Structures are given as structure tokens and as C-alpha cells.
Amino acid sequence: MADINMKFDRETLRELADEGNESALDRLADMADAAGDLGELSELLDEGCAHAGFLLTRRAAAVGDLRELQRISDAGYDEAGNELDRLLKGPGGGGSARPPS
């Protein structure tokens, strides 16, 4: 059986996503990620696309962008908050020691 490489029309994917098709929403996120379009990825996250949250989190964590991780977490993608906590705690995972008050 031949391997079929299908290219999907962005407009068609958008229509399907608007009708509630999560796979189309994920494909739009992949396309935005490949194009480096962080604005579109952010819009997709705002629409509830968890895959966009994953892609944005991966990018933000790679460069240590704590503010962006917080924004993504605030937008509803919990894994960004987990990644933010991990980065804040540092390599030892214990966080900073604070003296008792």
C-alpha cells in the first residue's frame, strides 16, 4: 500500500475546528508550531486546544521563559505550571531554603 502524504487546507481545518473537531484543532496547532507562529498558537490555546498548550510549554521551557509558562498555565494548561515549578526548584528539585519566620 502506498504511503499517502496528505496536505490539509488550513481553511478546511479551521472550519472543522470551529465545528468542534479536536483533531483539526491539533493539526492547526502543529501547522502554527511548524511556522513559528506563536500568536496563532496562543489563540488556539485560548480556544481550549491542549496540544497548543503543550507546544507553547515546550518552547517556553526550552528557553526558560518563566513569564510565558505562567501565562500558559493561567490560560488553563496545567502542565505549564508543573514545568514552571520544576524550573523554579532547580536541578536539585528542592527549591530554595527559607529560614523560619
Side-chain angles (χ1 to χ4, degrees), residues 17-69:
D18 289 345
E19 292 172 6
N21 186 308
E22 290 184 30
S23 295
L25 202 58
D26 290 349
R27 183 60 67 105
L28 285 170
D30 286 334
M31 291 171 71
D33 185 55
D37 190 341
L38 301 181
E40 184 173 1
L41 276 173
S42 292
E43 288 174 19
L44 292 166
L45 175 61
D46 291 342
E47 290 179 43
C49 180
H51 187 57
F54 166 78
L55 295 169
L56 286 166
T57 297
R58 183 181 67 189
R59 284 175 172 269
V63 297
D65 190 338
L66 303 179
R67 287 189 176 112
E68 180 66 3
L69 287 168

Side-chain angles (χ1 to χ4, degrees), residues 81-95:
N82 295 340
E83 189 63 21
L84 176 61
D85 287 344
R86 186 188 68 76
L87 289 174
L88 289 172
K89 288 178 181 174

Side-chain angles (χ1 to χ4, degrees), residues 68-82:
E68 180 66 3
L69 287 168
Q70 183 66 57
R71 187 197 71 74
I72 297 164
S73 177
D74 290 346
Y77 187 68
D78 294 337
E79 289 303 313
N82 295 340

